[in-house]
Amino acid sequence: MILKELFGKLAADSALAALLGATPGDPRIYPGMARPGCAAPFIVYRSLCPGAQADEISRAETVVFEIFSERFSNCLDISRRMAALLTTADETSLSGAGGPRIYRGALAGGSDFSDERNRHVRALTFHFSFIDSTL
């Protein structure tokens, strides 16, 4: 599973942090559900295949990121930044030496909708192929 590494990559990006209004104590990126009372914009992420699918030493995982914002233009800006950060066709390490190495990250699709608070929501689905060198 590479969710921890993906979170670290997103939380460390200053451009994404600025778009989210993140602070050192609250990166505004949450696993599963948002922090209670959290104001938009923020990102909620989850794996569609926890534990990843294994084939020898290579693995694949599909992750959905939901971007919540009061302004649709902000959803667009955040989604563009995330696509730039997470799309790769070259092997890259997410957490330095010894961690998982992604050799493919691709935006596979998404959708736009509104939530019960009438906020704009953009869901982005990414497929990741990686090698877990800790195995």
Side-chain angles (χ1 to χ4, degrees):
M1 190 154 53
I2 59 171
L3 294 180
K4 178 180 174 183
E5 289 80 7
L6 291 171
F7 168 82
K9 182 172 182 75
L10 295 174
D13 186 71
S14 60
L16 183 60
L19 289 168
L20 292 170
T23 64
D26 184 6
R28 305 182 68 84
I29 303 169
Y30 309 107
M33 66 171 46
R35 186 178 287 173
C38 180
F42 58 86
I43 298 169
V44 174
Y45 65 94
R46 67 184 181 283
S47 174
L48 296 182
C49 49
Q53 301 165 347
D55 176 25
E56 299 288 328
I57 61 167
S58 65
R59 296 183 176 264
E61 191 154 357
T62 301
V63 181
V64 174
F65 298 89
E66 292 180 336
I67 303 163
F68 293 77
S69 182
E70 300 294 338
R71 294 178 298 122
F72 185 68
S73 62
N74 190 236
C75 277
L76 293 176
D77 293 340
I78 293 168
S79 66
R80 286 183 193 114
R81 184 64 192 152
M82 290 182 64
L85 289 168
L86 300 177
T87 302
T88 182
D90 298 322
E91 187 175 313
T92 182
S93 177
L94 288 174
S95 60
R101 295 185 325 270
I102 287 182
Y103 59 89
R104 183 174 179 271
L107 179 59
S111 62
D112 293 312
F113 54 96
S114 61
D115 69 1
E116 68 281 352
R117 294 185 182 172
N118 211 27
R119 295 178 292 206
H120 298 282
V121 183
R122 173 164 275 197
L124 301 176
T125 303
F126 283 87
H127 292 301
F128 298 99
S129 299
F130 63 100
I131 297 171
D132 189 348
S133 58
T134 61
L135 296 176

